[in-house]
Amino acid sequence: MAENPSAGTAPVDPPVVLVHGLATSSARTWGETGWLDLLDDAGKVVVPIDLPGHGTAPKPHAPSEVGDVEAGVLAQFPDGPVDAIGFTLGARILLTIASDAPARFNRLVVAGVGRNLFEQDLERGRAIAAAIAGEEDPQDPEARHFHALADAPDIDRLALQALMNTPRPDLDADRLARITCPVLVVLGDKDFAGPADPLVDALPNATLRPLRNVDHFATPKSFDFIDAGLEFLDALPA
């Protein structure tokens, strides 16, 4: 009888793709908060991706040079289905990719997004854009936070403005219904992106994990988020 070389071998866990939010980076969102070390300790192959203008990624100053952001992120995926975690802008980008290429995902965790994916807040958007440009309202705590994030040495303000002026594909219930993998939606009860209900309702296989007394910016370092994400990806310590 011929030997089966795969007999008795353990299944290989899918790699974990990580995509950060606006005006931060993989190093800050996932490294400084412990995510990278915890996933590595769990034996996961981790693929952190920096968006244009952030971290180690190219920093084009013209929207015409930014290109198709979603295609650029997908091009950095390893072969085969992946697990993925995205925060805010990174979550939106991963949801868009998963709606267009559902077979590329095994499991997906999205945080810092909810109703804001469906309803545009023009006033907040203008305040964030001004903060990124260095002209924030000192009385607006959210704007001050984005201004401080964009001051980091691994951020290029002009490149962030170019990214923000590059249109993102619309997300609606019909598009999100194409996502076939299990999705964990994590949202703080003090997050301006909420509530999460419209997003959870639009996804065919979604689970909601609310975070008590957590706002938008505190989400990546929330122990409850970390525990929920690791559990969802079977990465909790035994």
Side-chain angles (χ1 to χ4, degrees):
M1 179 182 295
E3 293 184 2
N4 180 356
S6 64
T9 60
V12 178
D13 284 347
V16 181
V17 170
L18 300 161
V19 187
H20 61 80
L22 181 67
T24 179
S25 65
S26 291
R28 284 188 283 154
T29 298
W30 311 117
E32 293 178 3
T33 55
W35 281 93
L36 295 181
D37 289 337
L38 290 166
L39 288 166
D40 183 67
D41 289 345
K44 301 289 186 179
V45 174
V46 184
V47 184
I49 295 175
D50 281 330
L51 298 173
H54 302 74
T56 61
K59 298 177 172 61
H61 287 180
S64 60
E65 298 172 350
V66 174
D68 186 330
V69 176
E70 285 74 18
V73 169
L74 180 58
Q76 299 177 66
F77 278 28
D79 292 336
V82 302
D83 289 338
I85 309 174
F87 175 58
T88 186
L89 177 58
R92 181 191 181 99
I93 288 170
L94 287 173
L95 285 166
T96 302
I97 296 171
S99 70
D100 291 336
R104 299 302 304 274
F105 289 82
N106 179 57
R107 289 168 293 195
L108 176 58
V109 180
V110 294
V113 288
R115 182 179 60 185
N116 67 319
L117 294 178
F118 305 91
E119 300 177 12
Q120 190 174 14
D121 187 332
L122 295 177
E123 183 176 351
R124 174 171 278 116
R126 285 192 290 267
I128 293 172
I132 294 298
E135 304 167 354
E136 90 286 356
D137 179 355
Q139 304 303 315
D140 183 339
E142 292 173 12
R144 290 202 310 271
H145 195 97
F146 275 109
H147 181 276
L149 287 174
D151 266 341
D154 62 349
I155 295 296
D156 184 312
R157 285 186 182 273
L158 291 177
L160 259 62
Q161 292 176 67
L163 175 64
M164 293 177 71
N165 288 321
T166 303
R168 303 265 62 73
D170 290 334
L171 283 176
D172 56 26
D174 289 340
R175 185 165 193 158
L176 291 169
R178 305 176 197 163
I179 298 174
T180 55
C181 70
V183 181
L184 177 66
V185 178
V186 182
L187 192 67
D189 58 5
K190 298 185 181 300
D191 195 321
F192 58 74
D197 303 51
L199 175 58
V200 173
D201 292 344
L203 292 165
N205 188 8
T207 301
L208 174 63
R209 176 63 180 267
L211 305 176
R212 293 186 58 191
N213 298 317
V214 175
D215 65 18
H216 189 77
F217 303 108
T219 297
K221 60 187 176 184
S222 162
F223 290 128
D224 287 340
F225 174 32
I226 294 171
D227 285 346
L230 295 179
E231 181 179 13
F232 190 71
L233 301 183
D234 295 329
L236 281 177

